[in-house]
Amino acid sequence: MSKYNMRKKITLIGAGQIGGTLAHLIALKKLGDVVLFDVAGGVAKGKALDIAQSSPVEGFNISLIGTDNYEDTKNSDVIIITAGVPRKPGMTRDDLLGINLKIIKEVAEGIKKTSPNAFVICITNPLDVIVMALQKYSGLPKNKIVGMAGILDSSRFIYFLSQELEISTDKIKSFVLGGHGDTMVAMLDSTEVDGKKISQLVDEGKISKAKLDEIVERTKNGGAEIVKYLEKGSAYYAPAASGVEMAESYLKDLKKQLPCAAYLNGEYGVNDLYVGVPIIIGSKGVERVVELKLSKKEKQNFDHSIKAVQELFNSAKKIDPSL
Ligand code: TXD
């Protein structure tokens, strides 16, 4: 709880591109007081102060502080983690995994001491494996630790479809499951446009199968497409918006069904692994994993995705056998 008691306290670990955007969105939506934490302390302080200085213009009345001290994050209601380093030229995926595992271990130790009751949303890549490591390192309850990826991937897919079909995004229902990476699974059988199944639109010639496949591919490469344009850094507006949707569903007990990386204990035939599935987020955290009936093709793709996540987690265990 924040010092104002009535207001919620939201800590953002990592004050980089996504961290800063999260802080701004949270302030604009007046979700709670914000603590921006970063080991590079100045960036957290600078961004917090910059956003706070927009409060007279924007009309929000929340507190924003920047810090490099975990004490300031004490008793947070929600923690969103983006701490990490991006891949640099010449660095392998495993090199990156090793570095981000170390960072996540440090973060896990910091938050378990100061905010053991928080709802924790992890965004750092490689997402599914990092969120699993975060849970193991921190020992926080599995229903209070989730990963953000599926909302972003789904949002990208819906946006691309809406552009192609020239229809508003709110008329499209769809989601993407599985691991966050090139094995993600767009759920075509559950995709509806203005109440019609997407397969029906293909039959009616409104969209070709080839175009649909192209959109699925573009979604899988959605992150890389932006990295290519930006040259430095990766996407942050849509990732931050997706993280905020999860935080809001928890803080306001909205019980929204959202695709997120959640801990599976038998659901979808998967044991002891974090993967992207639809979950209900409410005031108790992950209140339920929603089990959908998958078509044969979807199941095949989902299993392939699980295998990729499991393999990457095995690499993580080789780097740190304590996992
Ligand atoms: O869908 C998804 N999950 C994602 C994930 C979509 C987009 C980007 N995704 C990943 O989020 C990306 O691959 C990164 O791993 C994270 C954060 O992305 P961002 O663009 O915000 O990265 P930055 O700008 O490099 O910020 C990272 C910050 C930076 O300021 C570092 O100083 C800080 O993390 N950092 C730390 N903070 C706290 N504690 C420690 N130990 C630490 N180490 C680095």
Side-chain angles (χ1 to χ4, degrees):
M1 225 25 133
S2 80
K3 63 180 171 175
Y4 299 99
N5 236 17
M6 299 294 290
R7 298 213 291 257
K8 301 292 182 183
K9 179 168 175 175
I10 303 164
T11 286
L12 311 173
I13 310 276
Q17 298 285 47
I18 301 181
T21 312
L22 283 167
H24 196 199
L25 287 175
I26 289 166
L28 293 175
K29 287 180 167 249
K30 306 179 180 121
L31 287 184
D33 291 337
V34 175
V35 178
L36 257 175
F37 175 102
D38 205 295
V39 280
V43 70
K45 288 197 172 79
K47 289 191 181 184
L49 187 58
D50 187 10
I51 297 168
Q53 287 168 356
S54 74
S55 63
V57 181
E58 299 286 4
F60 58 78
N61 187 17
I62 60 158
S63 114
L64 286 130
I65 61 157
T67 185
D68 56 5
N69 184 347
Y70 273 101
E71 270 307 297
D72 294 325
T73 73
K74 210 171 169 153
N75 295 330
S76 297
D77 296 284
V78 169
I79 297 179
I80 309 182
I81 300 169
T82 59
V85 297
R87 197 152 97 178
K88 299 201 179 70
M91 210 188 248
T92 67
R93 242 180 134 167
D94 278 2
D95 293 340
L96 178 76
L97 181 60
I99 296 170
N100 281 352
L101 277 176
K102 269 203 196 121
I103 291 176
I104 269 325
K105 190 169 191 179
E106 196 184 301
V107 172
E109 277 155 14
I111 65 173
K112 84 170 171 197
K113 274 194 227 123
T114 44
S115 298
N117 300 316
F119 181 61
V120 184
I121 300 165
C122 182
I123 300 186
T124 303
N125 267 335
L127 194 265
D128 308 271
V129 169
I130 291 292
V131 68
M132 176 98 171
L134 175 71
Q135 194 284 321
K136 292 204 182 246
Y137 287 142
S138 67
L140 261 53
K142 295 177 175 107
N143 65 327
K144 291 300 241 357
I145 297 200
V146 275
M148 187 296 289
I151 299 177
L152 172 65
D153 297 331
S154 308
S155 186
R156 284 176 173 154
F157 183 57
I158 290 172
Y159 171 71
F160 295 148
L161 273 180
S162 82
Q163 292 295 100
E164 178 61 27
L165 295 166
E166 295 181 358
I167 192 166
S168 147
T169 51
D170 62 11
K171 294 254 194 272
I172 304 178
K173 282 205 193 92
S174 186
F175 46 89
V176 174
L177 301 188
H180 181 52
D182 41 15
T183 60
M184 66 180 74
V185 187
M187 301 291 287
L188 295 181
D189 282 15
S190 313
T191 301
E192 283 182 13
V193 180
D194 215 0
K196 278 188 189 172
K197 287 213 170 238
I198 191 83
S199 53
Q200 198 179 330
L201 295 192
V202 173
D203 291 345
E204 288 171 4
K206 301 253 166 48
I207 183 169
S208 67
K209 179 80 180 64
K211 190 74 210 174
L212 188 56
D213 289 346
E214 195 184 305
I215 290 177
V216 169
E217 272 316 295
R218 189 173 177 201
T219 305
K220 285 184 186 175
N221 298 315
E225 185 179 358
I226 291 182
V227 167
K228 210 168 148 207
Y229 282 126
L230 294 181
E231 291 179 6
K232 269 195 296 188
S234 50
Y236 50 100
Y237 293 112
S242 307
V244 169
E245 187 177 31
M246 293 164 74
E248 193 170 20
S249 192
Y250 171 75
L251 289 167
K252 298 185 178 168
D253 194 22
L254 300 179
K255 301 193 194 296
K256 279 192 180 179
Q257 178 176 317
L258 302 167
C260 305
Y263 183 79
L264 297 186
N265 187 21
E267 298 91 346
Y268 290 92
V270 178
N271 267 305
D272 195 30
L273 200 66
Y274 269 85
V275 208
V277 289
I279 56 171
I280 304 294
I281 299 184
S283 60
K284 295 186 195 75
V286 179
E287 300 195 347
R288 194 157 59 86
V289 171
V290 179
E291 286 203 72
L292 300 166
K293 212 172 145 27
L294 306 187
S295 71
K296 207 171 150 206
K297 178 95 178 114
E298 285 167 348
K299 174 88 176 93
Q300 253 174 13
N301 291 340
F302 186 74
D303 288 347
H304 175 60
S305 191
I306 304 294
K307 208 167 147 238
V309 175
Q310 187 68 62
E311 276 167 11
L312 196 61
F313 190 66
N314 291 342
S315 308
K317 278 207 265 198
K318 278 197 198 120
I319 296 169
D320 181 358
S322 79
L323 278 170

